[in-house]
Amino acid sequence: NRPLVLVAGPCVIENEAATLRHAERLMSICNGVGIPLIFKASYDKANRTSVTAFRGPGMDEGLRILAKVKESLGVPVLSDIHSIEQVEPAADVLDVLQIPAFLCRQTDLLVAAAKTGKVVNVKKGQFLAPWDMKNVVGKIRSCENENIILTERGASFGYNNLVVDMRSFPIMRSTGFPVIFDATHSVQLPGGEGTSSGGQREYVEFLSRAAVAAGVDGVFMEVHEDPERALCDGPNSVRLDDLPALLNRLKAIDTIVKQA
Amino acid sequence: NRPLVLVAGPCVIENEAATLRHAERLMSICNGVGIPLIFKASYDKANRTSVTAFRGPGMDEGLRILAKVKESLGVPVLSDIHSIEQVEPAADVLDVLQIPAFLCRQTDLLVAAAKTGKVVNVKKGQFLAPWDMKNVVGKIRSCENENIILTERGASFGYNNLVVDMRSFPIMRSTGFPVIFDATHSVQLPGGEGTSSGGQREYVEFLSRAAVAAGVDGVFMEVHEDPERALCDGPNSVRLDDLPALLNRLKAIDTIVKQA
Amino acid sequence: NRPLVLVAGPCVIENEAATLRHAERLMSICNGVGIPLIFKASYDKANRTSVTAFRGPGMDEGLRILAKVKESLGVPVLSDIHSIEQVEPAADVLDVLQIPAFLCRQTDLLVAAAKTGKVVNVKKGQFLAPWDMKNVVGKIRSCENENIILTERGASFGYNNLVVDMRSFPIMRSTGFPVIFDATHSVQLPGGEGTSSGGQREYVEFLSRAAVAAGVDGVFMEVHEDPERALCDGPNSVRLDDLPALLNRLKAIDTIVKQA
Amino acid sequence: NRPLVLVAGPCVIENEAATLRHAERLMSICNGVGIPLIFKASYDKANRTSVTAFRGPGMDEGLRILAKVKESLGVPVLSDIHSIEQVEPAADVLDVLQIPAFLCRQTDLLVAAAKTGKVVNVKKGQFLAPWDMKNVVGKIRSCENENIILTERGASFGYNNLVVDMRSFPIMRSTGFPVIFDATHSVQLPGGEGTSSGGQREYVEFLSRAAVAAGVDGVFMEVHEDPERALCDGPNSVRLDDLPALLNRLKAIDTIVKQA
């Protein structure tokens, strides 16, 4: 019965100033609502739909900025890792190592992340049944690491569409590890705009309320001060101005569910 | 901002005494929680998986029993209609005519039901996108009937499985008509036991909490005093003893969402 | 190792002259290729997307025209039946009673059709696993009717899309009854154009070649002399002029498969 | 109108002797049927369901064995690459670099493979629409490499199941590059046996006949002399003894389709 956690930040590290500005506003919002924050931003978007899309500042510069966020604000930081080479430098800075959904079955990456002893957050692949996450958990536990988080971000539902099966929350929680709902990637329309993914920001509120009511340990959201100008995933990012009201509702729902 | 409604009852009318007994207990539970009840029971299960399965008492006897429930308890009653011939006798007794999911595109049945002026509740077919319910609504409205309810009961997701896409609630509500979540049929595993459908009663609570948090006007549940002995849909029916606690949680979540 | 059969005709009976003209051309084409023909046309499209769409001449006039086709050309005729009342008059004229996909689990309709002793062709629902057709077969056989055909017409795959799972042919054939591939409904995009279903005529050839190679007993196609002017399902209907070349390829593939 | 190609071999390199024995038998079978062979075997199964499953001999030993196969039999060889570090050593030996389905959107891996100038075979992710492979092609072509093959291996269809959408062949071929059907991975039941993937070898023949009839440039099959004893993917591997008859049928179907 821990409090609901928020994992949030801009999709990609656009630059140092913008990243710090977003982190500060998020801290302030979360303090106001009374929800613990884990700050999230990616240093490299390794699987953009198009080869010409913006990918971020790269690992070295990105980790430098995330270390600064962590140091100056005292907030835990989370980012994606994509290869074994990234694990060690990332673990020097990050509090949570996140395994992207497409890579959730890559044994070597899971094992390398697990061996750092850091918290490992694995996004469930769009192609994976929720009960099959127990095998993913097994790969991490085989390294004596019990700091595991599992994240739901939608399952393939025909072409260019995802669906969130809310049965996945109790199923994944039955592993004994906390489960997070990624509210903004779950409303992506993968590849849905031809050379980029579309998104349906308008459903983030409905789905995140539903997930919290079903029962999760945290919510993950990509946010932006101005989503129309975001360099990545703008169509599904939540506007920072809309966040406080949404978090207040989520917290109230969480309170009821935890009384149950 | 009407109060959340419950549509509930045993899957099929097993006999007069059992039907009255279930209706009385449901009335008492709903009065206790403060949720309006619409009593539901089917007089004929027209599409059981197997030809030898129990189908109910038939229309005449079934409507007689439902009339008795309505008269003695003062509760509105709802049942399925399967053919044009059933519309008129059913409309003499029922407050809500329900169109089964498989029949949701049968124009003549929709039109015949609409012409009675009664409330028509259409279950969205497992094969239908939520935005396509606007065409179903159009068929009913073409008869000058604006008493329409739309019900979500899951979408086909591979074989022998359904998934509830919670985006369907705001999408269907955008028609302007109330939307109900059928929590017990949504956890069916169609045909999943070879000669009958399986069910996952254990997910009813999670999914109904999620649906109410996403925002619906009512919840539909098949209930039974002893689901293991139910003559139809036992594996997904909610045990009456478990209902009050569940309804209290749903009502609390609904209150928060309606404050939003 | 019976020869491959073609079930074909316009989606709907537009009028007597057009129906006869289509039937004559189909007979001539099938004779040329050496493929037996069953002529198909619907007298009533009972589940059009929109309430204002053209539905056909109705049962009486439609059956009169089909009787004329049968008498003047000596070709067996097939049409859809939608309610128990239609079964008897339809069985007086038709050689094959077809149960639409949405109605494939309606026990009373299956039983009424079965009791006529006529051939009953059941389209597999878009929501049904192929192995669950054994229960449909059981409903017909319970009436001592062994004249059964099963038809594949695609399975729900996300929203507004169908997919043909070619495993369904051997699975349904394992019932012991012939299996037909409905090549034109399988390329429908249900509801895909807002107030009507879209279609992808360009894939009919690929899918029908694939189905015949996988192994089927017949192919079902809606055809039209001028699909752009068809009153129903034009987007997925095959142009009559394109049919002979396609049938020749299907027959050649069928020959190889039957040698196996 | 090139001849149909076979890409085949055991799922994983079990040891040198077994690999050479399989390659020799495949060469002999393909020479008999008149189908060009590309020999396939993996040196590392990087994403087995369970952490304890057999993974292969590793890259160095695996590439040594594949070099020996190539040298002694004069057959082109193909294997999977999983990280950028593997690209260069793999390209020294392999004729075709294969990108696994889960990695088909990893830009850096695609670019690194493309820059070798070798043929790059990309398996379409189970989560990707066929038209989205044009973005994958764009990533490779951005490196001035036009030696591209695209492979279909099934799309996610609910949980623990895949479906082959045969429309994907003409769609992917419209990129201008050859398309291969992976007949044995397409019949996998991912994770379907709890701690390993199940498979339905009995459908390989039906689906591969269908794919060739729909129109493909090659067929990919994992084969084994004794699938029950295979160290990987036995449930969906084709028995070598069954291969000649199957290939003869595929070649005959291909001949008809290419005459079209």
Side-chain angles (χ1 to χ4, degrees), chain D residues 10-228:
Chain D
C11 172
V12 68
I13 297 173
E14 301 189 356
N15 60 60
E16 179 176 327
T19 306
L20 276 162
R21 196 168 62 240
H22 278 81
E24 278 164 25
R25 278 205 56 196
L26 280 167
M27 283 290 281
S28 158
I29 290 169
C30 285
N31 285 338
V33 180
I35 285 186
L37 172 70
I38 299 172
F39 183 73
K40 181 268 161 185
S42 295
Y43 49 77
D44 182 19
K45 307 305 296 181
N47 59 6
R48 297 296 299 264
T49 302
S50 167
V51 71
T52 59
F54 179 72
R55 287 184 50 167
M59 182 175 69
D60 294 343
E61 171 68 356
L63 288 174
R64 187 190 65 74
I65 294 173
L66 288 172
K68 190 145 187 191
V69 167
K70 183 178 176 173
E71 185 188 33
S72 59
L73 298 174
V75 64
V77 291
L78 170 155
S79 198
D80 299 299
I81 55 172
H82 314 90
S83 68
I84 297 167
E85 294 68 40
Q86 296 182 352
V87 171
E88 210 174 315
D92 283 345
V93 170
L94 303 176
D95 299 278
V96 185
L97 303 177
Q98 180 168 284
I99 309 292
F102 291 153
L103 305 181
C104 75
R105 282 186 57 152
Q106 303 300 316
T107 305
D108 291 340
L109 184 60
L110 289 165
V111 163
K115 283 185 173 161
T116 65
K118 291 277 179 174
V119 180
V120 181
N121 177 30
V122 189
K123 293 204 173 181
K124 176 166 67 64
Q126 298 86 336
F127 45 80
L128 210 69
W131 43 82
D132 290 332
M133 286 297 277
K134 70 173 181 301
N135 293 308
V136 171
V137 164
K139 291 179 183 179
I140 300 173
R141 295 185 77 181
S142 74
C143 308
E144 315 291 323
N145 186 336
E146 302 277 328
N147 300 313
I148 303 171
I149 303 174
L150 304 178
T151 294
E152 166 70 43
R153 50 94 75 239
S156 286
F157 184 59
Y159 294 136
N160 300 313
N161 199 7
L162 299 170
V163 68
V164 178
D165 179 358
M166 301 263 163
R167 294 173 298 185
S168 74
F169 301 126
I171 292 170
M172 291 201 287
R173 277 180 139 185
S174 71
T175 60
F177 295 102
V179 170
I180 284 180
F181 172 57
D182 178 344
T184 49
H185 288 97
S186 293
V187 300
Q188 272 192 327
L189 303 175
E193 300 189 349
T195 56
S196 66
S197 290
Q200 304 176 308
R201 189 187 309 135
E202 65 270 29
Y203 298 125
V204 168
E205 156 123 25
F206 299 106
L207 291 185
S208 56
R209 287 190 330 221
V212 171
V216 293
D217 299 281
V219 174
F220 175 114
M221 285 180 192
E222 289 183 345
V223 299
H224 202 277
E225 54 191 9
D226 187 359
E228 274 67 38

Side-chain angles (χ1 to χ4, degrees), chain B residues 78-168:
Chain B
L78 170 154
S79 196
D80 300 299
I81 53 171
H82 314 89
S83 69
I84 297 166
E85 293 69 39
Q86 296 182 353
V87 171
E88 210 174 314
D92 283 346
V93 171
L94 304 176
D95 299 278
V96 184
L97 303 177
Q98 179 168 285
I99 309 293
F102 292 153
L103 305 182
C104 76
R105 282 186 56 150
Q106 304 300 315
T107 305
D108 290 340
L109 185 61
L110 289 164
V111 164
K115 283 186 174 160
T116 65
K118 291 277 178 174
V119 180
V120 182
N121 177 29
V122 190
K123 294 205 172 177
K124 176 166 67 64
Q126 299 86 336
F127 45 82
L128 210 69
W131 43 82
D132 290 331
M133 286 298 276
K134 70 174 181 300
N135 293 307
V136 171
V137 165
K139 291 179 182 180
I140 299 172
R141 297 185 76 181
S142 75
C143 307
E144 315 291 323
N145 186 337
E146 301 279 326
N147 301 312
I148 302 171
I149 302 173
L150 304 178
T151 294
E152 166 70 43
R153 48 94 77 241
S156 288
F157 184 58
Y159 294 135
N160 300 313
N161 200 7
L162 299 170
V163 68
V164 178
D165 179 358
M166 301 262 165
R167 295 173 296 184
S168 74

Side-chain angles (χ1 to χ4, degrees), chain B residues 48 55 108 139 159 165, chain C residues 48 55 108 139 159 165:
Chain B
R48 296 297 299 264
R55 288 184 50 168
D108 290 340
K139 291 179 182 180
Y159 294 135
D165 179 358
Chain C
R48 296 298 299 263
R55 288 184 49 166
D108 291 340
K139 291 179 182 179
Y159 294 135
D165 179 358

Side-chain angles (χ1 to χ4, degrees), chain A residues 98-112:
Chain A
Q98 179 168 285
I99 309 292
F102 291 153
L103 305 182
C104 75
R105 281 186 58 151
Q106 304 300 315
T107 305
D108 291 341
L109 184 60
L110 289 164
V111 163

Side-chain angles (χ1 to χ4, degrees), chain C residues 9-214:
Chain C
C11 172
V12 67
I13 296 173
E14 301 190 356
N15 60 58
E16 179 176 327
T19 307
L20 276 162
R21 197 167 61 239
H22 278 81
E24 278 164 25
R25 278 205 57 194
L26 280 168
M27 282 289 283
S28 157
I29 290 168
C30 285
N31 285 338
V33 180
I35 285 186
L37 171 70
I38 298 172
F39 183 74
K40 181 269 161 184
S42 294
Y43 50 77
D44 183 19
K45 307 304 296 180
N47 58 6
R48 296 298 299 263
T49 302
S50 166
V51 72
T52 59
F54 179 72
R55 288 184 49 166
M59 183 175 67
D60 293 344
E61 172 68 357
L63 288 175
R64 187 190 65 73
I65 294 172
L66 288 172
K68 190 145 186 188
V69 167
K70 183 179 176 172
E71 184 188 34
S72 58
L73 297 175
V75 64
V77 291
L78 170 154
S79 197
D80 300 300
I81 54 172
H82 314 90
S83 68
I84 297 167
E85 294 68 40
Q86 295 181 354
V87 171
E88 210 174 313
D92 283 346
V93 170
L94 304 176
D95 300 278
V96 185
L97 303 177
Q98 180 167 285
I99 309 293
F102 291 153
L103 306 182
C104 76
R105 281 186 58 149
Q106 303 301 314
T107 306
D108 291 340
L109 185 61
L110 289 164
V111 163
K115 283 185 174 160
T116 66
K118 291 277 179 175
V119 180
V120 181
N121 177 30
V122 190
K123 293 204 172 179
K124 177 167 66 64
Q126 298 87 337
F127 45 81
L128 210 69
W131 44 82
D132 290 331
M133 286 297 275
K134 72 175 179 301
N135 292 308
V136 171
V137 164
K139 291 179 182 179
I140 299 174
R141 296 184 78 180
S142 75
C143 307
E144 315 290 323
N145 186 338
E146 301 279 327
N147 300 312
I148 303 171
I149 303 174
L150 304 178
T151 293
E152 167 71 43
R153 49 92 78 239
S156 287
F157 184 58
Y159 294 135
N160 300 313
N161 199 7
L162 300 170
V163 68
V164 179
D165 179 358
M166 302 263 164
R167 295 173 297 185
S168 74
F169 301 126
I171 293 170
M172 290 200 287
R173 276 180 140 185
S174 71
T175 60
F177 295 101
V179 170
I180 284 180
F181 173 56
D182 178 345
T184 49
H185 288 97
S186 292
V187 299
Q188 272 193 326
L189 303 175
E193 300 189 347
T195 55
S196 66
S197 290
Q200 303 177 307
R201 189 187 309 136
E202 65 272 27
Y203 297 125
V204 168
E205 156 123 26
F206 299 106
L207 292 185
S208 57
R209 287 190 330 220
V212 171

